[in-house]
Amino acid sequence: MIKTVLHRLRNGKHEPAAETGAPDLRTNRLRELVRTGQDFDILLINVRDFPLLRELYGNDLSLEVEAQLTTVLKRAVSERLHVAPFCMTLEPGEYLLGWPSQGDDPRTQHDTAYEIRLLAQREANAHLLRWAGRELDLGFGCARHTVAKGQDREAQLFQAVNEARLRAKMRLDLSQLSLSTEFNAILHNRDVRAVFQPIADFTTGTILAWEALARGPEGTAFQSPAMLFDFAEQSGKLFALERLCREKAISTMGSIAPGQKLFLNIHPKTMADPEFTHGKTLELLEAVGLAPENIVFEITERHSITEFALFHRTLDHYRSQGYLVAIDDAGAGYSGLTSIAQIRPDFIKIDMSLIQGIDKDPVKRALIETFVTFADKIGSKIIAEGIESQAQAACLIDIGVHYGQGFYLAKPAAPKPPLSLDTTYLRANKQEQTRINTSCLMPIGNLVEAAQVRPAGMLVPDAQQCFASSRQQTSIVIVDEERPIGLVMEYQLNRQLSGQFGSALYAKRPVEAIMDRSPLIVDEATPVEQTAKAAMQREKIKAYDDIVVTSQGRVLGIVTVQRLLSTLASVQVEMAKGTNPLTGLPGNVTLEQEVEASVAAGKCFSIAYADLDNFKVYNDTYGFKNGDRVIKLAADILDHSVRRHGDATAKLFHIGGDDFVLMSKPEHVERICQAATRSFKRLIRGCYCQEDRARGEVMATGRDGVERTYPLVSLSIGIMEIGGPCNLLEIGERAAYVKKYAKSLPGNVYARDRRQPLGTEQMPGNGQGVCAEPAPFKEDSAA
């Protein structure tokens, strides 16, 4: 009987029909409910415009949507009512759910159905957005199947389902729900609370900012922020709810350190709220001692932005006041990189779906690397959301992601929680990887220029007069007893006063109202390179602000970014003269300086001279581009081996072509070379085509013009020791001699000079000694 009823429902008719064929297993749960004579509730969900969805994206996606929606609907019922529902498809895009009745109040029934629909729609949309960049529009209708004595159960079921289907085609008036009364009470009583989750700076291990997250009253349907904001949007009260959440967040934030931020979530539609642009946020900030520079408006990318003209005008308005902008859920929303490029955010928050499993997924890693490169090019910073493990955090730091957020670092709480772990060990590996062989250690104090210094409390018009009377100065340092507390840039002052009421608004206000309260302040002994790095990590709007230099905490002067970068560029040009352009490793000049310095200091050290065998054949066969790839591979392997098995004094140099030299303590050098030759043997095969890899050799024409087979490229290393005074000529001759011997051995191999260290007395006997000894690791001696 049940199968027959469903057949009629799918065809929209109620006619007698014989039940034929095998029973449909999907109807078992429904059959059980009907046979028991128990009342049960029915929820019918339909996907509006489902035929259009199938036409636009094909049958595969429509089947995927159906499977996903069926799964989340069953889960939503289970989570909300703690019962296992039946769920079946009546027709494409239309789904029927049922469960034992929970009560007699029809308002409760409608509320329950609405909650289930919201939960299902949110989860299904998160899935669909990743596939098609659009959201589902779900209709829903509920009814109760009540068994009455003497009536046909089949007719009752048909009537209940048709009633639900009719309601699903109508737009629901939310005011009919008891949830509406509950939600209005929340707004009226201001019954929301803010919790805060820290955002970690991976460079320093400190807290960059806190994101404010809203929570509804505990124990209610609106405890979940998803339910709270979805209901607000659909009932037309999103502006009021977001305004309340902003006020709660700002008023309960508490004090923050200079330069720290507060991230406030903003729906794109909120930008059209007239109340949003009337300076309410600024008034709240001033009441608690915060400034626009402390606030980041976080715009979720899960929502489409249709009124781009209005949206951009509003963004420009807030940016002109000093507010910053972040894009949330990047990689999970509408336009992806297109909308990011149009908004030009200061921060890009990567959706947690791309972060989960990144330590094991090379595709996700490559995608995040692309995001980091993209962000660097447009002047943004990347924040990775949803970090849940040490492996994920370490991988993101290795990639170069700037900031991180997630339960592994700290869970949301109130008051503001600290980071739940010490991130120093996470940064150690990154710092080791990014250490440089040479740097600009010139103190920033050498570049100081005179600064305009004025005491706190001076009026804004007086600051304007300072700039008018001294056209050479573009900044004013504000001090309190000679200690800097803020900076006023001329462009910043003009921006604040250029508005329609700017001059009148600030006519009698102290300069503290517009000054930057967290300028970059450095001690005179700080290296130029370190200062430049700190300057470039500032917010985009402050990237070219002057740098305040102090001596024993008191203002010494200022340094302009122009002079800073000009000086740094000059120094780096000199440094780059000894750097190989392909690998970025220091070259001959730096090597000679290091060797001479070590010999002069009386150090005992080892030199390993590495060279590639059969490289010319590979270069001629596969081309120069792939040849550069092999050289870069050798450099990376040697560099990794030096960093892993050497100490901080070990160094690698690229002296030209396919020749490399490394310096190390004698007790480390053999382990470095062993690791390098083994790794190169394994990884070089990836630089060949499948046919050459299978053969283990290459057919090519040699220098004599004869075609023959050649082995794969291999790495040969000759090792020698220096133990006393000697010159570069002597070192070069012996290193070349030992390398030549190593190259005479087949495969990936290293050979160690058995003579006394250069610079010490020669052993008695033959002056040449025993020339060299092959490595004892025979398995590494052949390719």
Side-chain angles (χ1 to χ4, degrees), residues 105-249:
D105 185 359
R107 291 175 66 83
T108 302
Q109 180 190 11
H110 286 293
D111 287 341
T112 300
Y114 180 77
E115 290 181 48
I116 292 169
R117 178 243 185 174
L118 278 187
L119 291 171
Q121 181 163 319
R122 171 171 284 270
E123 189 169 341
N125 278 338
H127 178 80
L128 184 62
L129 281 169
R130 289 194 288 270
W131 283 87
R134 62 178 294 161
E135 294 183 344
L136 293 176
D137 182 15
L138 299 183
F140 76 102
C142 54
R144 178 159 295 168
H145 176 268
T146 303
V147 178
K149 293 182 179 180
Q151 292 189 12
D152 183 0
R153 294 181 181 178
E154 180 179 331
Q156 291 172 339
L157 176 60
F158 183 86
Q159 181 180 355
V161 175
N162 265 350
E163 180 183 347
R165 173 178 280 164
L166 180 63
R167 289 176 175 172
K169 294 179 179 179
M170 302 168 61
R171 295 288 179 178
L172 177 69
D173 181 3
L174 294 182
S175 63
Q176 298 175 357
L177 301 178
S178 60
L179 285 172
S180 182
T181 303
E182 186 177 346
F183 180 81
N184 290 335
I186 291 174
L187 291 182
H188 181 267
N189 299 327
R190 303 176 61 81
D191 195 9
V192 297
R193 54 195 173 89
V195 294
F196 304 91
Q197 186 174 32
I199 299 173
D201 185 334
F202 283 150
T203 304
T204 62
T206 58
I207 294 178
L208 163 77
W210 283 270
E211 179 181 357
L213 303 168
R215 298 289 186 266
E218 294 187 14
T220 70
F222 294 109
Q223 179 176 343
S224 163
M227 184 71 178
L228 188 66
F229 282 93
D230 283 344
F231 191 91
E233 184 175 0
Q234 296 194 28
S235 61
K237 297 178 180 177
L238 180 65
F239 297 164
L241 176 62
E242 284 208 346
R243 186 163 58 247
L244 174 58
C245 292
R246 285 197 303 274
E247 292 172 1
K248 284 281 185 176

Side-chain angles (χ1 to χ4, degrees), residues 16 46 48 259 273 293 302 326 340 358 390 451 462 497 518 603 644:
N46 65 32
R48 297 188 174 102
D273 180 10
E293 290 79 9
R302 291 188 189 275
I340 295 174
I358 189 173
Q390 175 183 339
D462 295 334
L497 300 180
S518 57
K603 296 179 181 179
R644 182 172 182 181

Side-chain angles (χ1 to χ4, degrees), residues 47 50 53-54 57-72 89 93 95 123-132 136:
V47 181
F50 188 84
L53 178 71
R54 183 166 51 187
Y57 301 106
N59 194 52
D60 289 343
L61 180 59
S62 62
L63 291 176
E64 177 72 20
V65 169
E66 284 198 318
Q68 177 75 8
L69 192 55
T70 301
T71 300
V72 299
T89 303
Y95 314 95
E123 189 169 341
N125 278 338
H127 178 80
L128 184 62
L129 281 169
R130 289 194 288 270
W131 283 87
L136 293 176

Side-chain angles (χ1 to χ4, degrees), residues 222-488:
F222 294 109
Q223 179 176 343
S224 163
M227 184 71 178
L228 188 66
F229 282 93
D230 283 344
F231 191 91
E233 184 175 0
Q234 296 194 28
S235 61
K237 297 178 180 177
L238 180 65
F239 297 164
L241 176 62
E242 284 208 346
R243 186 163 58 247
L244 174 58
C245 292
R246 285 197 303 274
E247 292 172 1
K248 284 281 185 176
I250 294 172
S251 62
T252 60
M253 173 70 175
S255 61
I256 61 175
Q260 288 183 331
K261 315 292 181 191
L262 172 62
F263 279 61
L264 298 175
N265 287 280
I266 301 293
H267 192 293
K269 292 181 180 178
T270 303
M271 293 293 182
D273 180 10
E275 292 293 325
F276 189 66
T277 57
H278 280 183
K280 299 290 186 181
T281 303
L282 184 58
E283 292 178 7
L284 291 170
L285 294 176
E286 291 180 343
V288 296
L290 296 178
E293 290 79 9
N294 298 121
I295 302 300
V296 181
F297 290 137
E298 184 174 323
I299 303 164
T300 177
E301 204 196 2
R302 291 188 189 275
H303 299 281
S304 62
I305 301 171
T306 55
E307 296 292 337
F308 258 110
L310 173 62
F311 181 76
H312 280 300
R313 286 198 302 271
T314 309
L315 274 186
D316 291 341
H317 167 73
Y318 278 98
R319 278 179 163 145
S320 69
Q321 296 183 26
Y323 294 96
L324 303 175
V325 176
I327 280 286
D328 190 19
D329 299 324
Y334 276 88
S335 307
L337 297 180
T338 301
S339 62
I340 295 174
Q342 290 175 319
I343 294 173
R344 305 185 317 279
D346 302 282
F347 300 94
I348 301 173
K349 301 189 76 174
I350 304 298
D351 185 68
M352 66 180 300
S353 64
L354 296 178
I355 304 303
Q356 293 172 344
I358 189 173
D359 52 307
K360 302 174 184 177
D361 190 336
V363 175
K364 286 185 176 180
R365 181 186 176 103
L367 186 57
I368 300 303
E369 288 174 347
T370 303
F371 262 113
V372 172
T373 302
F374 172 74
D376 288 340
K377 289 183 179 297
I378 67 171
S380 294
K381 299 294 183 183
I382 294 293
I383 301 174
E385 292 188 291
I387 301 173
E388 297 179 349
S389 69
Q390 175 183 339
Q392 292 174 8
C395 180
L396 292 164
I397 291 173
D398 181 61
I399 290 172
V401 171
H402 310 100
Y403 308 111
Q405 181 180 0
F407 281 8
Y408 174 68
L409 300 172
K411 294 182 179 180
K416 302 188 305 295
L419 293 176
S420 57
L421 76 166
D422 181 10
T423 58
T424 304
Y425 76 98
L426 290 175
R427 305 196 314 276
N429 185 47
K430 181 65 177 176
Q431 290 171 346
E432 176 64 19
Q433 291 181 11
T434 57
R435 66 183 170 89
I436 53 177
N437 294 302
T438 55
S439 60
C440 180
L441 300 179
M442 178 192 302
I444 191 67
N446 291 7
L447 308 182
V448 164
E449 301 175 5
Q452 284 195 98
V453 179
R454 296 293 184 273
M458 74 175 298
L459 298 180
V460 171
D462 295 334
Q464 193 174 19
Q465 182 59 38
C466 287
F467 290 122
S469 60
S470 178
R471 304 308 305 171
Q472 301 300 317
Q473 298 281 3
T474 60
S475 65
I476 301 174
V477 180
I478 306 301
V479 298
D480 182 8
E481 297 183 356
E482 300 184 34
R483 296 184 180 277
I485 61 170
L487 179 73
V488 179

Side-chain angles (χ1 to χ4, degrees), residues 537-548:
Q537 289 177 343
R538 294 182 291 184
E539 298 96 332
K540 194 161 49 177
I541 196 171
K542 295 165 57 175
Y544 293 97
D545 285 6
D546 291 348
I547 299 158
V548 181

